[in-house]
Amino acid sequence: MTKPRVVIVGAGFAGYHAAKTLSRLARGRAEIVVLNSTDYFLYLPLLPEVAAGVVEPRRVSVPLNGTLDGVRVIIGEADQVDLHNRWVGFTQPEGDRGQLAYDRLVLAVGSVNKLLPIPGVTEYAHGFRGLPEALFLHDHVVRQIELAEQAADPAEQQSRATFVVVGAGYTGTEVAAHGQLFTDQLAATRAAGLTVRPRWLLLDVAERVLPELDQRMSETAQRVLTRRGVDVRMGTSVAEATADGVRLTDGDYVPTCTLVWCVGVRPDPFVADLGLRTEKGRLVVDEYLGVPGFPEVYACGDAAAVPDLTRPGGICAMTAQHAQRQGKLVAHNIAASYGQGRRKPYKHHDLGWVVDLGGWDAAANPLKVSLSGLPAKAVTRGYHLFAMPGNRARVGADWMLDAALPRPAVQLGLVPANAVPLESSSPEVALRRP
């Protein structure tokens, strides 16, 4: 008898854990195929530490082959789904086309950088959603400090040593917190030529830092950022971006060569082309993560509008915590569709949040218990090690080395600016040079 084939599109938090769980449940009775644009699962929460040189990039890149036992991995970008004939079309990295027939389909394509119609942003800003963007930002920051040291004009020196981060959510706050420490360390090694202290600005239209999290976590982050000298401006955003700086909505003009865009994410545009019902750009599913009208198709993670049963009428937030748990549930519900167990609705209460602020600082509220300082740091790092599906020892080793030794900082120039445009629909892959 031919084994049923389950195709999982995407290997982020949702897709990776769907494949891993389904492989365990199937025990060889189904063919499980993961279609992904890279051959690794990216642990996104540690990207700010990659950009700051704390953790090496390969540490947060968990290989799919070797960690997904019994799963076939195909590298390619999904670009077409025939829901009636049950196949997925994709393009391989070198341009070859392919198709995958399926008996069950899981759409876990994730999200991309959120865009806003602000003049100049798409031309001069860079996002922070994929590994290429983090590598680019690391090199770019080092380059700007080096060029600032060489600049004879004080105005140019200050401009190159000024870094603007838009979005004071989880990612933007961590980027600014780690960034200020990183550039202070860089400046300390260039005392002879750099006469200004690097300056970081964190902007958001919200009333407080980390607006989606607990008030006490916001206060902790604000206190740490202020102590370090980060210029936090709430109720403020970018009105216009130029090659020389940014004009803010409060009327101020900030000369800078660095604009980091962390205003949030939007569902991968891929789902909009499926001809299915969407809500806020996300594919509508039922509480069992099934797509209405197509019982063999499931969706989970950032690209799925999963009903939030803890808040009737709402949909689940686009978080890694939700995506991971939805991926596991999809696997169980697919198994149930073949008679193994019973399907279950998705219902999950947040267990708390962790925010790494660099150095010995962090904010956390595990099980609604507010923590800061070293206790929060211990919880934060413990959570990341627990949540990572691989490379735990290597990440831990990088943390210990960073605490004990000076941080090396060089620009390798592996990712040019034109390889990571903000409007990219695939931030996980660096674009080829024209």
Side-chain angles (χ1 to χ4, degrees):
M1 179 181 292
T2 303
K3 295 180 181 179
R5 176 185 287 171
V6 180
V7 174
I8 301 171
V9 181
F13 277 90
Y16 182 90
H17 287 281
K20 195 174 186 68
T21 304
L22 192 58
S23 176
R24 176 175 55 82
L25 294 173
R27 297 179 181 176
R29 290 172 292 182
E31 180 188 3
I32 304 167
V33 181
V34 169
L35 173 63
N36 196 52
S37 56
T38 66
D39 62 356
Y40 59 83
F41 159 80
L42 177 63
Y43 190 74
L44 278 165
L46 292 185
L47 274 188
E49 296 192 43
V50 172
V54 177
V55 175
E56 290 296 316
R58 283 187 296 178
R59 309 294 193 247
V60 301
S61 312
V62 179
L64 302 180
N65 289 300
T67 62
L68 293 178
D69 295 332
V71 176
R72 178 185 170 200
V73 177
I74 295 180
I75 308 304
E77 187 78 26
D79 48 28
Q80 186 179 3
V81 176
D82 189 325
L83 295 167
H84 298 285
N85 294 308
R86 299 189 182 184
W87 56 263
V88 178
F90 62 93
T91 303
Q92 295 177 322
E94 295 188 355
D96 295 332
R97 298 277 306 155
Q99 287 185 1
L100 277 171
Y102 64 82
D103 296 288
R104 298 290 187 274
L105 174 65
V106 179
L107 296 172
V109 293
S111 55
V112 298
N113 292 307
K114 182 179 181 180
L115 303 178
L116 295 176
I118 298 174
V121 164
T122 56
E123 291 84 4
Y124 300 109
H126 289 280
F128 199 80
R129 187 64 186 164
L131 190 57
E133 293 171 323
L135 292 173
F136 166 77
L137 182 59
H138 177 272
D139 276 7
H140 177 79
V141 168
V142 175
R143 182 182 307 115
Q144 295 311 310
I145 295 298
E146 291 176 347
L147 292 175
E149 180 190 20
Q150 300 167 22
D153 181 4
E156 180 187 352
Q157 191 171 91
Q158 183 64 74
S159 173
R160 292 194 179 280
T162 298
F163 306 89
V164 178
V165 179
V166 185
Y170 182 93
T171 301
T173 298
E174 287 198 339
V175 167
H178 281 279
Q180 185 71 67
L181 287 180
F182 182 40
T183 53
D184 279 350
Q185 291 178 16
L186 290 174
T189 64
R190 294 164 169 80
L194 194 61
T195 60
V196 298
R197 184 190 179 190
R199 178 191 180 199
W200 284 76
L201 280 78
L202 179 62
L203 315 174
D204 202 300
V205 295
E207 296 180 354
R208 59 184 175 94
V209 175
L210 301 173
E212 70 275 22
L213 302 187
D214 181 78
Q215 175 74 35
R216 283 170 290 188
M217 295 185 71
S218 296
E219 293 171 355
T220 297
Q222 176 80 45
R223 184 172 61 252
V224 170
L225 292 170
T226 301
R227 186 181 72 234
R228 291 192 189 152
V230 176
D231 185 353
V232 180
R233 300 193 190 186
M234 295 294 95
T236 306
S237 188
V238 173
E240 181 185 8
T242 69
D244 302 314
V246 291
R247 189 171 304 282
L248 307 184
T249 54
D250 62 7
D252 195 9
Y253 183 81
V254 180
T256 181
C257 299
T258 308
L259 179 58
V260 188
W261 194 253
C262 301
V263 298
V265 295
R266 58 190 170 103
D268 192 305
F270 175 74
V271 301
D273 299 328
L274 297 176
L276 298 172
R277 190 159 64 93
T278 60
E279 181 176 347
K280 298 180 179 178
R282 303 166 72 183
L283 195 60
V284 170
V285 297
D286 59 26
E287 65 270 28
Y288 301 100
L289 309 181
V291 175
F294 295 91
E296 70 282 354
V297 180
Y298 300 79
C300 53
D302 287 356
V306 179
D308 189 345
L309 299 184
T310 68
R311 296 185 302 111
I315 58 176
C316 293
M318 299 166 71
T319 67
Q321 194 175 124
H322 278 304
Q324 179 173 329
R325 286 163 176 77
Q326 289 168 10
K328 292 179 179 180
L329 182 66
V330 157
H332 284 281
N333 286 349
I334 288 176
S337 74
Y338 286 106
Q340 183 177 341
R342 298 177 60 184
R343 68 175 187 164
K344 299 178 181 179
Y346 180 75
K347 187 175 184 179
H348 171 66
H349 293 274
D350 290 330
L351 302 178
W353 299 92
V354 295
V355 179
D356 194 312
L357 299 171
W360 300 108
D361 292 303
N365 63 342
L367 302 176
K368 309 306 179 183
V369 178
S370 295
L371 301 173
S372 60
L374 284 177
K377 191 74 173 187
V379 169
T380 298
R381 289 195 161 173
Y383 170 79
H384 287 317
L385 289 180
F386 174 78
M388 289 193 71
N391 295 350
R392 295 186 181 95
R394 296 179 187 276
V395 169
D398 277 357
W399 283 339
M400 288 189 290
L401 289 171
D402 185 68
L405 300 173
R407 190 181 309 173
V410 295
Q411 49 164 323
L412 299 178
L414 299 178
V415 182
N418 62 358
V420 284
L422 182 61
E423 70 271 25
S424 173
S425 60
S426 301
E428 67 276 9
V429 178
L431 300 184
R432 295 183 180 181
R433 300 188 190 191

